[in-house]
């Protein structure tokens, strides 16, 4: 059975910085989410906020409100915000301590490691709870340098990249994975961020917590593990940030480490400035595609839309506009599904069609 979990996402649920909570509500293979803490949306349903349809997972005004309202104390307390500074605020420390004292295990996706915090360690030992620092990297002696082994993998590798942080790369990756699995293909998904790992991805690494010397090797190693253990028909690799982003180098490491044979690019047409850097303009989808293709020596085979601040009519218009201008299949997977992406993948890797047929026969 899945462990029950309460997510803390004060003032951020449904927003860019709430992407960890948002992702867990949409898909969680590891936890049964029983509620979200966000006083600005208390009383609402999480599905209503994200998709416009209720899913039965409530939003509470505070930690105390959640504990008083739920029939049992959840097994896990998940910090569900992904702030750019990635450190706890003072009032948030008290909430984490409350959760520990309630006997809840702590899932921490921040760059600040709770297992290095004397107070948290002290109380977790007293209360018999575990702290999981999702982003805490292995010791350097246990990290991997790039070996070139990935150059000999025959399995198609598709990377889902984007034009900014928090544009839906992981969401698109997870939905695409599910669609390919539904067709009978054996799919391996490699997560590269904290949310995918919390969701239960079997393979992956929080790439932004890895020293740059080991980034490509750690990505390569996770793909090699997936390849050797699963013998997959296709490997999907989650992107991080953007190759053009002035503050992040994660996309560079992911491209170098995964050597994708095809790339899908996610873009929010209505976003004017970079999410965490409002003083900088968003790149255009055209410029990002050109940069990715020049850097990766691979081809972008499709574009996916993040529909933030867009009406259904605007989504349809942008899809048509991009397909005409870019001559690439374009879709919004949350609105229109993955059919165009799957067609593009089969065109890029024709042998996959035979794998699909074999799966249907068997």
């Amino acid at each position: 059975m899945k462990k029950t979990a309460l997510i803390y996402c004060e003032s951020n649920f449904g927003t860019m910085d709430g992407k960890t909570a948002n992702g867990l509500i949409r898909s969680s293979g590891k936890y049964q989410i029983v509620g979200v803490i966000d006083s600005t949306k208390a009383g609402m349903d999480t599905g209503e906020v994200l998709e416009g349809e209720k899913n039965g997972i409530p939003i509470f005004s505070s930690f105390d409100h959640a504990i008083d309202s739920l029939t049992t104390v959840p097994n896990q307390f998940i910090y569900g915000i992904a702030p750019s500074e990635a450190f706890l605020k003072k009032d948030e420390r008290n909430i984490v301590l409350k959760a520990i004292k309630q006997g809840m295990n702590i899932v921490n996706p921040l760059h600040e490691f709770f297992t290095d915090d004397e107070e948290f360690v002290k109380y977790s030992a007293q209360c018999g709870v575990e702290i999981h620092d999702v982003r805490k990297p292995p010791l350097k002696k246990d990290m991997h340098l790039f070996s070139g082994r990935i150059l000999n993998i025959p399995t198609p590798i598709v990377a889902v990249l984007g034009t900014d942080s928090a544009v839906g790369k992981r969401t698109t990756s997870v939905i695409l994975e599910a669609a390919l699995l539904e067709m009978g293909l054996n799919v391996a998904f490699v997560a590269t961020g904290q949310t995918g790992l919390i969701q239960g991805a079997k393979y992956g690494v929080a790439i932004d917590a890895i020293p740059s010397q080991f980034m490509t090797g750690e990505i390569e190693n996770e793909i090699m593990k997936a390849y050797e253990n699963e013998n997959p028909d296709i490997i999907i690799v989650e992107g991080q940030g953007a190759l053009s982003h002035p503050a992040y180098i994660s996309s560079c490491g992911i491209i170098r480490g995964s050597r994708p044979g095809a790339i899908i690019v996610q873009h929010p047409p209505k976003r004017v400035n970079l999410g965490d850097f409002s003083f900088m303009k968003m790149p255009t989808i055209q410029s990002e595609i050109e940069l990715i293709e020049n850097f990766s020596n691979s081809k972008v085979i499709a574009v996916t839309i993040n529909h933030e601040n867009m009406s259904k009519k605007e989504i349809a218009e942008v899809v048509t506009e991009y397909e005409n201008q870019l001559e690439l299949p374009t879709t919004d997977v949350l609105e229109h599904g993955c059919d165009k992406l799957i067609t593009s993948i089969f065109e890029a890797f024709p042998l996959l069609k035979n794998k699909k047929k074999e799966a249907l026969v068997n």
Side-chain angles (χ1 to χ4, degrees):
M1 288 183 61
K2 292 182 181 180
K3 297 174 182 177
T4 56
L6 175 66
I7 303 175
Y8 175 82
C9 196
E10 177 57 34
S11 302
N12 282 284
F13 185 65
T15 71
M16 177 178 167
D17 281 354
K19 66 179 184 178
T20 298
N22 305 340
L24 287 167
I25 292 299
R26 287 192 170 111
S27 174
S28 178
K30 195 172 182 180
Y31 302 110
Q32 177 190 343
I33 309 302
V34 297
V36 171
I37 298 169
D38 183 348
S39 63
T40 65
K41 299 178 179 68
M44 298 182 70
D45 180 280
T46 57
E48 187 179 17
V49 173
L50 292 181
E51 314 294 352
E53 295 182 8
K54 292 186 177 182
N55 61 15
I57 302 174
I59 302 177
F60 301 107
S61 61
S62 66
F63 179 81
D64 292 338
H65 178 212
I67 297 302
D68 290 343
S69 301
L70 295 167
T71 54
T72 58
V73 176
N75 306 122
Q76 314 285 321
F77 176 89
I78 301 175
Y79 187 91
I81 309 174
S84 57
E85 65 273 15
F87 292 100
L88 270 185
K89 299 179 178 66
K90 184 177 180 180
D91 60 322
E92 293 174 339
R93 285 187 60 84
N94 295 329
I95 296 170
V96 173
L97 284 170
K98 277 187 176 183
I100 291 174
K101 291 174 182 179
Q102 283 285 346
M104 300 171 71
N105 297 309
I106 307 299
V107 180
N108 167 37
L110 298 173
H111 283 295
E112 175 184 3
F113 303 138
F114 294 177
T115 51
D116 293 338
D117 186 297
E118 291 184 5
E119 188 176 26
F120 287 162
V121 170
K122 170 188 170 184
Y123 281 106
S124 66
Q126 289 179 0
C127 299
V129 306
E130 295 180 355
I131 297 175
H132 177 39
D133 289 322
V134 180
R135 268 185 166 127
K136 195 167 191 176
L139 297 174
K140 289 187 177 67
K141 69 180 181 64
D142 297 322
M143 291 184 190
H144 300 82
L145 293 170
F146 184 74
S147 69
R149 292 177 297 159
I150 197 166
L151 301 176
N152 299 317
I153 288 184
T155 305
I157 298 174
V158 177
V160 181
L161 306 181
T163 54
D164 192 9
S165 299
V167 293
K169 298 178 287 289
R170 174 189 36 77
T171 298
T172 291
S173 299
V174 170
I175 292 173
L176 177 59
E177 176 196 18
L180 291 168
L181 286 169
E182 184 70 21
M183 299 178 75
L185 293 175
N186 183 14
V187 186
F189 170 59
V190 177
T192 56
Q194 70 277 11
T195 304
L197 295 173
I198 297 172
Q199 283 178 316
K202 190 173 180 181
Y203 302 99
V205 58
I207 190 67
D208 64 357
I210 301 295
S212 59
Q213 178 77 359
F214 297 97
M215 273 188 175
T216 56
E218 284 296 295
I219 291 292
E220 179 192 43
N221 185 63
E222 290 301 313
I223 292 173
M224 291 304 302
K225 284 197 298 185
Y227 171 70
E228 292 165 356
N229 294 343
E230 310 296 335
N231 188 28
D233 298 319
I234 183 170
I235 299 171
I236 299 172
V237 181
E238 173 196 12
Q240 293 294 322
L243 188 59
S244 64
H245 203 294
Y248 307 135
I249 61 170
S250 299
S251 287
C252 175
I254 290 167
I255 290 171
R256 289 293 194 227
S258 67
R259 301 285 166 153
I263 294 168
I264 294 166
V265 181
Q266 180 108 353
H267 179 63
K270 282 292 192 75
R271 193 178 293 184
V272 178
N273 299 311
L274 293 174
D276 287 324
F277 299 85
S278 59
F279 54 89
M280 299 199 72
K281 294 289 186 185
M282 281 286 295
T284 65
I285 183 66
Q286 293 94 333
S287 67
E288 195 72 27
I289 289 172
E290 290 172 6
L291 179 62
I292 287 170
E293 291 187 338
N294 286 329
F295 183 82
S296 67
N297 197 29
S298 184
K299 283 291 181 184
V300 172
I301 61 169
V303 172
T304 48
I305 299 298
N306 175 321
H307 61 232
E308 62 184 36
N309 302 317
M310 296 177 70
S311 66
K312 292 183 185 298
K313 180 175 180 289
E314 288 173 323
I315 295 170
E317 290 172 347
V318 167
V319 166
T320 300
E321 176 189 342
Y322 284 3
E323 289 189 333
N324 290 336
Q325 289 183 0
L326 304 172
E327 297 183 346
L328 288 170
T330 302
T331 189
D332 178 335
V333 298
L334 290 173
E335 290 289 324
H336 302 145
C338 289
D339 289 352
K340 289 181 180 179
L341 302 186
I342 293 171
T343 298
S344 298
I345 289 171
F346 284 163
E347 288 176 355
F349 306 104
L351 292 179
L352 275 179
K353 292 181 181 179
N354 296 330
K355 297 280 188 180
K356 174 191 171 187
K357 290 176 183 176
E358 290 172 8
L360 291 173
V361 170
N362 296 330

